[in-house]
């Protein structure tokens, strides 16, 4: 009974220090909220159970590698992990084809489909949030070209004229921006498409 009064942050600390019961207490304390959240999005018991388990596998890995630093915000952190896993599930089950960015085609053009389902909207919203954060990590010249191309729908000729660099330089900056984005995505283990 005394476990009910121990703050989450202290239970996390105890678990990291080797007390396996602390994690059991945290799971028992929050399982109905977390599972309820997952089930409300998935509406399939087996898949919800899988995502719930995957959520806590990620929680355990993060805690065991001392990567957790949410400062007393355990439940919101776990909910964010479960939300990301739900989004990943929908991405994988949608069997999205792979598209290549070209002068005539932008992946963002199909992401703005008006007939998106709730799941599709969740995915698009999460991708856009993740992508905007990632773009902020790029060097300024690469970020500038990428934003002009992706968000302002400018051609490389227009970008070249506006920035005062050659088309090849603009293309090069875009190429490096995409390469750096891939590195950042790998570093943060973010899934933007399936």
């Amino acid at each position: 009974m005394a476990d009910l009064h121990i703050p989450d942050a202290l239970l996390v600390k105890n678990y990291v220090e080797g007390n396996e019961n602390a994690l059991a207490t945290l799971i028992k304390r929050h399982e109905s909220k977390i599972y309820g959240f997952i089930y409300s999005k998935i509406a399939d018991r087996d898949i919800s159970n899988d995502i719930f388990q995957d959520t806590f596998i990620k929680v355990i890995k993060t805690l065991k590698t001392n990567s957790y630093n949410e400062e007393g915000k355990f439940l919101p952190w776990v909910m964010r992990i479960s939300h990301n896993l739900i989004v990943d599930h929908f991405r994988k089950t949608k069997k999205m084809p792979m598209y290549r960015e070209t002068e005539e085609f932008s992946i963002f053009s199909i992401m703005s489909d008006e007939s998106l389902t709730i799941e599709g909207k969740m995915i698009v919203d999460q991708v856009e949030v993740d992508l905007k954060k990632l773009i902020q990590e790029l060097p300024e010249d690469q970020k500038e070209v990428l934003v002009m191309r992706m968000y302002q729908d400018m051609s490389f000729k227009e970008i070249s004229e506006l920035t005062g660099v050659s088309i090849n330089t603009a293309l090069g900056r875009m190429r490096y921006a995409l390469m750096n984005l891939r590195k950042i995505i790998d570093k943060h283990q973010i899934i933007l498409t399936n």
Side-chain angles (χ1 to χ4, degrees):
M1 241 344 157
D3 286 347
L4 295 176
H5 303 293
I6 301 172
D8 287 354
L10 185 56
L11 287 169
V12 168
K13 182 178 179 289
N14 291 345
Y15 175 69
V16 170
E17 291 172 354
N19 179 351
E20 297 293 323
N21 291 332
L23 182 66
T25 302
L26 281 167
I27 293 172
K28 185 173 281 191
R29 181 178 291 174
H30 298 299
E31 71 182 327
S32 64
K33 279 183 188 161
I34 296 164
Y35 183 83
F37 170 73
I38 295 168
Y39 188 78
S40 74
K41 305 290 183 223
I42 301 291
D44 178 297
R45 286 203 185 285
D46 292 336
I47 296 171
S48 295
N49 284 330
D50 289 347
I51 291 174
F52 181 80
Q53 289 173 4
D54 289 348
T55 298
F56 277 94
I57 288 170
K58 274 198 165 211
V59 167
I60 290 166
K61 281 182 183 173
T62 304
L63 294 177
K64 289 289 187 187
T65 58
N66 288 324
S67 305
Y68 176 77
N69 59 359
E70 293 299 313
E71 306 287 321
K73 294 187 171 71
F74 179 78
L75 181 61
W77 173 65
V78 176
M79 294 295 261
R80 195 164 59 248
I81 291 171
S82 65
H83 175 265
N84 290 342
L85 288 170
I86 291 165
V87 170
D88 292 347
H89 164 75
F90 285 130
R91 285 183 185 143
K92 288 175 188 160
T93 58
K94 290 299 172 198
K95 304 287 185 260
M96 287 175 59
M98 291 298 286
Y99 293 103
R100 249 195 141 55
E101 184 76 27
T102 66
E103 182 74 30
E104 298 81 37
F105 174 79
S106 170
I107 187 69
F108 295 94
S109 65
I110 61 165
M111 288 176 57
S112 61
D113 180 3
E114 299 302 317
S115 64
L116 289 175
T117 61
I118 293 169
E119 296 89 355
K121 177 116 176 70
M122 272 180 73
I123 293 168
V124 170
D125 290 348
Q126 187 63 46
V127 166
E128 287 178 8
V129 167
D130 289 346
L131 199 53
K132 283 180 181 166
K133 284 182 194 168
L134 298 177
I135 289 170
Q136 294 308 310
E137 294 187 36
L138 291 173
E140 214 45 56
D141 58 343
Q142 295 171 18
K143 187 189 329 179
E144 178 183 43
V145 171
L146 191 131
V147 167
M148 287 178 180
R149 177 79 183 115
M150 299 296 193
Y151 294 103
Q152 297 169 3
D153 204 25
M154 295 173 73
S155 71
F156 285 108
K157 185 175 189 289
E158 293 169 322
I159 293 169
S160 159
E161 291 167 0
L162 196 65
T163 58
V165 299
S166 71
I167 290 178
N168 283 341
T169 301
L171 283 164
R173 288 179 181 173
M174 183 68 172
R175 182 173 169 266
Y176 283 117
L178 293 173
M179 287 169 45
N180 285 330
L181 269 179
R182 283 188 191 105
K183 287 178 190 168
I184 296 166
I185 288 165
D186 289 344
K187 183 177 93 177
H188 294 295
Q189 297 178 336
I190 295 171
I191 299 172
L192 294 177
T193 60
N194 71 337

mmCIF file of all heavy atoms in Angstrom, residues 9 68-74 77:
data_model
loop_
_atom_site.group_PDB
_atom_site.id
_atom_site.type_symbol
_atom_site.label_atom_id
_atom_site.label_comp_id
_atom_site.label_asym_id
_atom_site.label_seq_id
_atom_site.Cartn_x
_atom_site.Cartn_y
_atom_site.Cartn_z
ATOM 1 N N ALA A 9 8.947 9.685 -10.042
ATOM 2 C CA ALA A 9 10.374 9.976 -10.230
ATOM 3 C C ALA A 9 11.242 9.116 -9.305
ATOM 4 O O ALA A 9 12.296 8.623 -9.722
ATOM 5 C CB ALA A 9 10.655 11.457 -9.993
ATOM 6 N N TYR A 68 16.969 8.218 -19.803
ATOM 7 C CA TYR A 68 15.745 8.885 -19.355
ATOM 8 C C TYR A 68 16.097 10.169 -18.620
ATOM 9 O O TYR A 68 16.945 10.170 -17.727
ATOM 10 C CB TYR A 68 14.957 7.954 -18.428
ATOM 11 C CG TYR A 68 13.721 8.584 -17.818
ATOM 12 C CD1 TYR A 68 12.571 8.749 -18.562
ATOM 13 C CD2 TYR A 68 13.714 9.006 -16.495
ATOM 14 C CE1 TYR A 68 11.431 9.315 -18.011
ATOM 15 C CE2 TYR A 68 12.577 9.568 -15.934
ATOM 16 C CZ TYR A 68 11.446 9.724 -16.694
ATOM 17 O OH TYR A 68 10.329 10.282 -16.144
ATOM 18 N N ASN A 69 15.455 11.271 -18.996
ATOM 19 C CA ASN A 69 15.709 12.533 -18.293
ATOM 20 C C ASN A 69 14.466 13.408 -18.295
ATOM 21 O O ASN A 69 14.547 14.605 -18.504
ATOM 22 C CB ASN A 69 16.899 13.271 -18.900
ATOM 23 C CG ASN A 69 16.687 13.586 -20.367
ATOM 24 O OD1 ASN A 69 15.664 13.245 -20.946
ATOM 25 N ND2 ASN A 69 17.662 14.242 -20.969
ATOM 26 N N GLU A 70 13.317 12.799 -18.078
ATOM 27 C CA GLU A 70 12.059 13.543 -18.180
ATOM 28 C C GLU A 70 11.702 14.303 -16.903
ATOM 29 O O GLU A 70 10.670 14.939 -16.838
ATOM 30 C CB GLU A 70 10.917 12.599 -18.572
ATOM 31 C CG GLU A 70 11.049 12.034 -19.967
ATOM 32 C CD GLU A 70 11.040 13.105 -21.055
ATOM 33 O OE1 GLU A 70 10.189 14.000 -21.025
ATOM 34 O OE2 GLU A 70 11.905 13.022 -21.938
ATOM 35 N N GLU A 71 12.519 14.182 -15.870
ATOM 36 C CA GLU A 71 12.333 14.987 -14.659
ATOM 37 C C GLU A 71 10.916 14.921 -14.089
ATOM 38 O O GLU A 71 10.189 15.921 -14.093
ATOM 39 C CB GLU A 71 12.704 16.453 -14.922
ATOM 40 C CG GLU A 71 14.085 16.654 -15.482
ATOM 41 C CD GLU A 71 15.196 16.440 -14.464
ATOM 42 O OE1 GLU A 71 15.023 16.844 -13.311
ATOM 43 O OE2 GLU A 71 16.214 15.835 -14.827
ATOM 44 N N GLY A 72 10.503 13.768 -13.654
ATOM 45 C CA GLY A 72 9.209 13.657 -12.976
ATOM 46 C C GLY A 72 8.002 13.654 -13.892
ATOM 47 O O GLY A 72 6.883 13.802 -13.433
ATOM 48 N N LYS A 73 8.211 13.511 -15.160
ATOM 49 C CA LYS A 73 7.083 13.475 -16.103
ATOM 50 C C LYS A 73 7.002 12.088 -16.732
ATOM 51 O O LYS A 73 6.962 11.934 -17.947
ATOM 52 C CB LYS A 73 7.265 14.550 -17.166
ATOM 53 C CG LYS A 73 7.194 15.953 -16.590
ATOM 54 C CD LYS A 73 7.217 16.984 -17.695
ATOM 55 C CE LYS A 73 6.944 18.369 -17.189
ATOM 56 N NZ LYS A 73 7.994 18.956 -16.415
ATOM 57 N N PHE A 74 6.979 11.066 -15.904
ATOM 58 C CA PHE A 74 7.009 9.687 -16.377
ATOM 59 C C PHE A 74 5.799 9.352 -17.244
ATOM 60 O O PHE A 74 5.956 8.855 -18.361
ATOM 61 C CB PHE A 74 7.093 8.727 -15.180
ATOM 62 C CG PHE A 74 7.104 7.280 -15.572
ATOM 63 C CD1 PHE A 74 8.256 6.694 -16.057
ATOM 64 C CD2 PHE A 74 5.958 6.498 -15.458
ATOM 65 C CE1 PHE A 74 8.278 5.360 -16.428
ATOM 66 C CE2 PHE A 74 5.969 5.161 -15.828
ATOM 67 C CZ PHE A 74 7.137 4.593 -16.310
ATOM 68 N N TRP A 77 5.717 10.997 -20.674
ATOM 69 C CA TRP A 77 6.796 10.418 -21.470
ATOM 70 C C TRP A 77 6.368 9.052 -22.027
ATOM 71 O O TRP A 77 6.526 8.788 -23.217
ATOM 72 C CB TRP A 77 8.052 10.302 -20.608
ATOM 73 C CG TRP A 77 9.196 9.566 -21.242
ATOM 74 C CD1 TRP A 77 9.902 9.951 -22.349
ATOM 75 C CD2 TRP A 77 9.755 8.325 -20.816
ATOM 76 N NE1 TRP A 77 10.869 9.011 -22.626
ATOM 77 C CE2 TRP A 77 10.815 8.013 -21.696
ATOM 78 C CE3 TRP A 77 9.485 7.459 -19.767
ATOM 79 C CZ2 TRP A 77 11.591 6.865 -21.556
ATOM 80 C CZ3 TRP A 77 10.257 6.318 -19.623
ATOM 81 C CH2 TRP A 77 11.297 6.023 -20.516
#
